[in-house]
Amino acid sequence: HTSCWTSADRLYTTNAIVMNAPEQTPTSPPPPPNSGSTDSIVLALKTDERFQPFLKEDFSPAQYASEVLASSNGVQTASNQLTEGINILEKAVRDEVTRSYDVLMNQLTGIEDAEKILHTLRNGVNSLHQTTAKVRTEIAEPHKIVSAKTKQLERLTTTTDVLHRVVRAVKLTQRLRACVESSDSSGGGRNNSNSSSSSIDFAKAAKLIHKLRELEIEASDSLVGVECVDAQREWVVQVTKLVRREANEALKKGMEVQSQADVGNALQVHYNLDELSIAVDVQVNQYASIAIESVKEATDWQKIQSAASSMASKSSSGLNSNNNNSTHSAYTNRSGVSGGQEEIYQNVLWERLESCFEVVHESAMSVWHLQRVLAKKRDPLSHALFLDEVLKRESSNGGSFMHQNNASSAMDNLPCAKFWVMLGKGMTDHMSKTHASAGFVRDVLLQGFPHLMNIIESMHDRCSKDGDAKGVPGCVRKDGADLSILRRSTDAISHTFFSRSYNRLSEPINSGFSSGRNMSRGDSDKFLARIREEMISVEGHASLVNSCAGGVSKALKLLAQKAEYSISSTDWTAEKQRIYAGEPPSSLQRMSLALATELNYIVDLLQPVVNQYSTVPKTSLQAGIDRMKEACFGALSPIFEALEEKVEKFILMRVHDEDWENNSNPLPGGSSYVSSLTTTLKLFQENYLNGLISGHFSSSFGGETSSSSHHASSSSGRSGIGGLQGISSTSTGPIFEKCGETFENVIDSFVRNASLIQKLSISGSNRLAKDCVEVEAALRSHLLFFGPLTSDDAKIANLHAFKRLMFCDNRQILSVVGKSNSPDASKMLLLEIHHLYSQCDSTKITTPWARAGMNPKQYYTWWKAQKDVKEVLRGVQGSLDASKAEDDVTRTMRELCKLLDDTVAIR
């Protein structure tokens, strides 16, 4: 077993050597003649199944020996096979060594050279180690000496520095003592402390104290422990307190008497102490606290009661005390104020508020006085501006305050700006608490909120006027930021005030639509009166006007929403049939028209007033009016659309049924369709428009007569909205806008149908021109409720231009467009082109509707539905391109098409 294991291991090792033998390089000598036999031996070993296990990567001699022992061939047989394989492999190795002799010798020479180089390197390293040890031995002692001397020098330098600082501290202390003691001697001794304190040069003393303080902190080590310095430390602290106290007192007195010199001297002391910013902040906080406390005291209920009781007792001293007691006990509100004394309490509250904001004004002016001194005072040595020094800690922007690029950021850090911020914060907290505690003060502030804002804004205006000096920042900012802070401090009250205002505005609306009924003229007048009252109450306050305008706009939108809900319940499909039949409106339709009349009435009165307001309230109010117009149009559109549909389908399209070629002399009242149009418009005026304009529908459902309705309208018009006089109802409401829109639509429908007439003779042209005049007269008589029209007005420009076509030859056609005042030249060009088909030879040119297989009525319907002029122009150009006619009419039509194409391209 051992012999087999050893042989197998040897065979595996030898086989690995042979398999991994290096490949022949190009420089190696040619193999010997027996190289082929070596290769064949190796190949035989690789293919021999007996030796296959030895080629595996995971070959294990122990496992192989175990397998041999377990086989039936026996150990001797396996041993003989292994010995044979080993002999073969050893022979192959010898052959390979013999064949690669030169290569092996070359590699051996390279190894010898490497050993020589390695030996030389070892010798060099040893020499380097010896040299390093020698250098270390030579410099170790000098290094120790240098280190010791360096440490000694450092200690000497530190000691010298401390001695210098001690000497300077002693000298500064002596100068400070001399400054103080000289004042004591000149003041008559130590007993007269007031006179001695007043004679001290506090600015100089403060400068010396600041230098002593710098000596303590300019190095890492302190002077604590130096006997000569410690002996004077307590005295320096006492002098520092004395200087700071005297500077604060001087600053306080200077602020009280508004003396710039005294304030400047006191600030100089604080500047020398390096406490200028702290002193300024203390003063600003102090005056802001005074202002806030005055506001709190003014609204204190206990003090209001005391002042009101004293005033009431004086006013009622001549009355019977028993009657007073009985009255007081009989009428008391929830705040404990008797009904007869509410006015006294209110007057006391408003007087206290006016007095408190007088204190706020005084405090603001004191802070501005401080700010003005800071903006003028400079240090005599460094020439630094005190205001720059105060702002230096608040702003990273360097340079003088007067030349800072970011002026807005600097303004935010000014003393006055800080004062207004602190005042606004304090007022916000107090007003919120006052509003949260329901009581008499809260009710009075809510009721007279505009008066409160008037007091605040008046105080702000006074500060702006009094605190304005050339070359220094003002007491208040020019952009109104400070006023915005004060306004926001009353947000808790203003929100409730405008919420109640909206409730008052919506009350007539809710009552007008209660119990399933619509608004009457009385409800409309009440609503307009409420708008007038609310806008008058905030007159003169831009911010309140803006907020009130928002509430009015919200109320107008509420009215429009409720009106839309009421209008949506009407079945307009059945109601349109009554218009087709020329019958008066039903009761349900009259209710919707009555509501439209009220919406028109309100819009008609409000619109002129809204135009007189500034941009912000005007925008808010206009949004509400536009919403009202939208709701009114929702009630009016069905009846006007029904009228236009009847006029278009059942009247104007009859133009194509008339004979325009034979017997076409003008009739006295126009053609038959014109007579039908006049009758239809007259019935529509009698059944609908007269009731809408006069308010008859509103009076029949609102419980008021027409006379009372007109009286209310005229009275509301005289009084106006917002205190403006001379405002009255004018023809600018939604009803009149809808009449004008229908006026234009009927004219457009007429001229389009008339332009499609074929075989038009000269007498037919005269009759058609007569019809144009009659159509205009009918519209002016029965539908013109939106103001007078001149002959060149844009609303009837196309009608007049088309009428002129009846009397123009081909050479004059192109000039008609230039004479037209129509805002849409492309529409007039299309009318001219279609009209010229009536003068063409039908055998040479085919009309666009004939090419499309339509009659003129169908073509008109298609033409009206087209939003893009290019589609209609494409059909006309196709007709002209397919035509072989080259007469004057055709050439004129082509020129008009080219002109129309250019007009559309420009648009």
Side-chain angles (χ1 to χ4, degrees):
H1 179 255
T2 304
S3 175
C4 182
W5 193 346
T6 304
S7 300
D9 196 9
R10 288 178 58 195
L11 180 61
Y12 177 77
T13 305
T14 307
N15 193 13
I17 293 173
V18 175
M19 295 302 104
N20 298 327
E23 297 181 357
Q24 297 293 331
T25 60
T27 58
S28 61
N34 60 349
S35 61
S37 60
T38 302
D39 295 339
S40 62
I41 292 174
V42 174
L43 181 61
L45 286 174
K46 289 182 178 181
T47 57
D48 194 341
E49 295 182 356
R50 295 176 300 171
F51 303 110
Q52 288 298 321
F54 299 99
L55 298 177
K56 297 180 180 179
E57 294 294 334
D58 56 347
F59 174 77
S60 174
Q63 183 180 359
Y64 180 79
S66 299
E67 292 177 354
V68 169
L69 292 176
S71 64
S72 58
N73 294 330
V75 177
Q76 188 62 37
T77 303
S79 177
N80 293 335
Q81 292 177 355
L82 292 176
T83 302
E84 180 183 358
I86 290 171
N87 294 332
I88 294 173
L89 287 175
E90 287 179 350
K91 183 177 181 305
V93 170
R94 284 194 298 272
D95 294 342
E96 182 66 24
V97 170
T98 302
R99 186 179 59 177
S100 305
Y101 177 79
D102 293 338
V103 176
L104 294 175
M105 292 303 294
N106 290 336
Q107 293 180 353
L108 183 61
T109 304
I111 293 173
E112 291 177 354
D113 293 340
E115 288 179 351
K116 292 179 180 179
I117 294 172
L118 182 61
H119 179 70
T120 303
L121 184 61
R122 288 195 188 98
N123 294 335
V125 171
N126 292 333
S127 176
L128 181 62
H129 279 301
Q130 293 175 1
T131 304
T132 303
K134 184 177 180 181
V135 170
R136 183 183 299 110
T137 303
E138 291 177 353
I139 68 173
E141 188 62 25
H143 179 266
K144 292 180 180 179
I145 297 174
V146 171
S147 297
K149 295 296 182 180
T150 302
K151 185 175 293 187
Q152 182 181 13
L153 178 61
E154 179 183 2
R155 292 173 178 173
L156 287 173
T157 303
T158 303
T159 304
T160 304
D161 180 63
V162 172
L163 290 175
H164 279 298
R165 290 166 57 200
V166 169
V167 171
R168 179 155 179 78
V170 171
K171 289 183 178 180
L172 290 174
T173 305
Q174 291 175 353
R175 291 172 59 188
L176 178 61
R177 185 178 293 277
C179 178
V180 174
E181 291 180 351
S182 62
S183 63
D184 291 342
S185 60
S186 63
R190 296 183 180 270
N191 295 330
N192 192 357
S193 59
N194 294 332
S195 61
S196 63
S197 297
S198 61
S199 61
I200 296 177
D201 187 354
F202 289 105
K204 181 179 179 181
K207 193 69 176 177
L208 295 172
I209 292 171
H210 179 59
K211 290 180 179 180
L212 284 171
R213 192 183 302 164
E214 287 181 339
L215 285 176
E216 289 284 346
I217 61 175
E218 69 179 7
S220 59
D221 53 338
S222 175
L223 296 180
V224 176
V226 180
E227 294 182 359
C228 61
V229 176
D230 291 342
Q232 303 293 331
R233 193 182 303 278
E234 184 65 26
W235 178 82
V236 172
V237 171
Q238 296 297 328
V239 173
T240 303
K241 292 180 180 179
L242 172 64
V243 171
R244 185 180 293 114
R245 182 176 66 253
E246 293 296 330
N248 290 332
E249 292 179 358
L251 180 59
K252 181 179 179 181
K253 293 179 181 178
M255 293 289 288
E256 291 176 353
V257 299
Q258 299 286 297
S259 172
Q260 296 189 35
D262 293 344
V263 173
N265 293 333
L267 292 177
Q268 181 68 56
V269 176
H270 285 292
Y271 175 81
N272 291 342
L273 286 173
D274 196 23
E275 297 175 354
L276 181 61
S277 297
I278 298 175
V280 171
D281 290 341
V282 169
Q283 292 296 318
V284 174
N285 293 336
Q286 177 181 349
Y287 282 103
S289 300
I290 293 173
I292 294 172
E293 287 300 322
S294 68
V295 176
K296 293 181 179 179
E297 184 178 355
T299 56
D300 184 83
W301 175 238
Q302 300 296 331
K303 295 182 180 180
I304 293 174
Q305 279 185 319
S306 176
S309 300
S310 176
M311 184 179 297
S313 63
K314 292 180 181 179
S315 61
S316 60
S317 59
L319 299 178
N320 190 301
S321 60
N322 295 330
N323 294 335
N324 292 339
N325 293 335
S326 62
T327 303
H328 179 74
S329 61
Y331 302 99
T332 56
N333 60 16
R334 62 181 181 178
S335 301
V337 180
S338 60
Q341 294 182 345
E342 287 187 3
E343 184 177 356
I344 297 176
Y345 277 77
Q346 291 178 7
N347 293 335
V348 169
L349 175 58
W350 290 119
E351 288 176 0
R352 292 176 64 84
L353 283 173
E354 291 175 357
S355 300
C356 92
F357 280 102
E358 196 63 38
V359 175
V360 173
H361 171 264
E362 294 175 359
S363 300
M365 295 310 299
S366 297
V367 175
W368 179 71
H369 174 70
L370 175 64
Q371 179 175 288
R372 181 172 55 173
V373 175
L374 289 171
K376 292 182 177 181
K377 179 70 175 176
R378 292 181 180 273
D379 180 58
L381 298 179
S382 63
H383 299 286
L385 187 66
F386 281 7
L387 187 58
D388 289 340
E389 296 299 319
V390 171
L391 298 177
K392 188 179 295 183
R393 296 185 181 182
E394 303 292 340
S395 175
S396 59
N397 192 7
S400 174
F401 167 77
M402 304 304 295
H403 299 88
Q404 284 185 4
N405 295 327
N406 192 0
S408 177
S409 176
M411 291 292 290
D412 293 337
N413 298 321
L414 289 174
C416 285
K418 292 182 179 181
F419 170 80
W420 293 118
V421 170
M422 286 187 284
L423 175 62
K425 184 178 180 182
M427 285 182 59
T428 300
D429 296 339
H430 180 64
M431 289 297 179
S432 299
K433 294 178 181 178
T434 302
H435 177 266
S437 58
F440 179 79
V441 176
R442 176 204 179 200
D443 294 341
V444 173
L445 292 179
L446 284 174
Q447 182 180 0
F449 177 69
H451 183 44
L452 174 63
M453 293 304 300
N454 185 43
I455 295 174
I456 294 175
E457 292 177 358
S458 298
M459 180 273 299
H460 181 270
D461 293 341
R462 289 179 57 198
C463 291
S464 177
K465 182 179 179 180
D466 299 341
D468 187 15
K470 186 177 180 180
V472 297
C475 181
V476 298
R477 296 178 60 169
K478 300 297 184 182
D479 58 359
D482 303 325
L483 182 57
S484 299
I485 293 174
L486 296 177
R487 286 171 177 168
R488 287 196 299 269
S489 66
T490 61
D491 281 349
I493 299 175
S494 66
H495 291 163
T496 305
F497 173 79
F498 287 112
S499 177
R500 292 185 177 183
S501 173
Y502 174 71
N503 292 337
R504 290 191 294 269
L505 289 168
S506 58
E507 180 183 352
I509 301 174
N510 295 328
S511 63
F513 287 95
S514 62
S515 303
R517 68 185 186 92
N518 287 337
M519 284 190 69
S520 64
R521 182 54 53 88
D523 295 326
S524 299
D525 290 335
K526 186 178 180 181
F527 178 59
L528 290 171
R530 287 289 172 84
I531 294 177
R532 180 176 182 273
E533 292 171 0
E534 296 299 331
M535 296 300 290
I536 287 178
S537 66
V538 295
E539 268 188 331
H541 307 281
S543 61
L544 300 186
V545 170
N546 296 340
S547 301
C548 188
V552 173
S553 178
K554 186 178 178 182
L556 292 173
K557 293 176 182 178
L558 174 65
L559 175 56
Q561 183 181 20
K562 288 184 175 292
E564 286 179 342
Y565 288 158
S566 179
I567 295 169
S568 62
S569 60
T570 305
D571 184 10
W572 291 107
T573 303
E575 299 300 331
K576 286 183 178 181
Q577 300 300 324
R578 305 182 68 87
I579 298 177
Y580 292 158
E583 299 176 357
S586 63
S587 59
L588 186 60
Q589 196 173 27
R590 289 170 65 89
M591 291 181 62
S592 298
L593 296 177
L595 185 54
T597 302
E598 295 309 313
L599 297 178
N600 179 83
Y601 173 73
I602 295 173
V603 171
D604 200 14
L605 286 176
L606 279 179
Q607 188 64 67
V609 181
V610 170
N611 295 334
Q612 301 181 33
Y613 280 103
S614 59
T615 302
V616 176
K618 180 180 178 181
T619 303
S620 299
L621 292 171
Q622 191 60 50
I625 290 180
D626 292 342
R627 186 70 178 85
M628 290 273 289
K629 287 184 177 181
E630 183 180 346
C632 188
F633 287 148
L636 297 174
S637 294
I639 63 172
F640 280 94
E641 289 173 1
L643 172 64
E644 294 176 14
E645 184 178 349
K646 178 182 179 180
V647 170
E648 178 184 317
K649 292 184 177 180
F650 302 106
I651 299 177
L652 296 182
M653 281 192 177
R654 287 163 51 188
V655 170
H656 307 289
D657 300 331
E658 297 285 335
D659 184 5
W660 300 99
E661 186 177 9
N662 304 312
N663 266 335
S664 297
N665 293 324
L667 301 176
S671 302
S672 59
Y673 70 90
V674 178
S675 300
S676 300
L677 174 63
T678 304
T679 303
T680 300
L681 293 177
K682 183 178 180 181
L683 290 174
F684 185 78
Q685 178 188 3
E686 293 174 352
N687 295 331
Y688 293 92
L689 291 183
N690 289 342
L692 287 171
I693 301 302
S694 64
H696 174 69
F697 295 138
S698 177
S699 63
S700 61
F701 284 94
E704 293 181 357
T705 62
S706 297
S707 60
S708 63
S709 174
H710 287 301
H711 176 72
S713 174
S714 61
S715 63
S716 296
R718 287 192 302 271
S719 61
I721 307 299
L724 301 174
Q725 303 297 323
I727 302 301
S728 61
S729 179
T730 57
S731 301
T732 58
I735 294 178
F736 307 101
E737 293 182 18
K738 204 62 183 176
C739 287
E741 181 181 342
T742 302
F743 185 95
E744 294 186 69
N745 292 339
V746 172
I747 288 180
D748 181 68
S749 178
F750 170 70
V751 294
R752 288 195 191 211
N753 279 285
S755 67
L756 300 180
I757 295 175
Q758 293 296 293
K759 298 180 180 180
L760 184 64
S761 62
I762 296 177
S763 60
S765 297
N766 294 334
R767 183 157 69 95
L768 187 56
K770 174 67 174 177
D771 290 346
C772 290
V773 175
E774 294 297 334
V775 168
E776 180 181 352
L779 291 172
R780 283 178 177 270
S781 299
H782 306 296
L783 202 59
L784 185 55
F785 290 95
F786 52 89
L789 289 177
T790 59
S791 59
D792 58 347
D793 194 280
K795 294 181 182 295
I796 53 177
N798 286 342
L799 180 63
H800 289 178
F802 183 77
K803 183 176 65 174
R804 286 196 296 270
L805 290 177
M806 303 299 104
F807 307 101
C808 295
D809 56 17
N810 295 333
R811 290 172 296 180
Q812 296 174 332
I813 289 293
L814 292 174
S815 64
V816 175
V817 179
K819 295 179 180 179
S820 174
N821 295 318
S822 173
D824 191 355
S826 60
K827 183 182 294 186
M828 189 61 223
L829 285 170
L830 280 177
L831 291 175
E832 292 185 356
I833 295 171
H834 285 89
H835 170 69
L836 288 176
Y837 277 107
S838 64
Q839 302 182 22
C840 294
D841 187 355
S842 60
T843 61
K844 295 182 180 181
I845 187 170
T846 306
T847 60
W849 53 91
R851 295 182 73 242
M854 295 186 290
N855 58 39
K857 295 180 181 180
Q858 294 172 334
Y859 182 78
Y860 162 76
T861 304
W862 174 84
W863 182 8
K864 185 179 179 181
Q866 298 305 311
K867 302 297 183 183
D868 191 359
V869 179
K870 294 182 180 179
E871 292 295 328
V872 184
L873 179 60
R874 189 177 294 112
V876 174
Q877 288 176 337
S879 172
L880 294 175
D881 294 341
S883 172
K884 298 180 180 180
E886 292 295 337
D887 53 5
D888 293 340
V889 178
T890 308
R891 283 192 291 271
T892 302
M893 293 174 66
R894 288 193 173 94
E895 292 181 12
L896 290 174
C897 286
K898 183 179 179 181
L899 181 59
L900 177 59
D901 195 11
D902 295 340
T903 303
V904 173
I906 293 174
R907 287 172 52 191

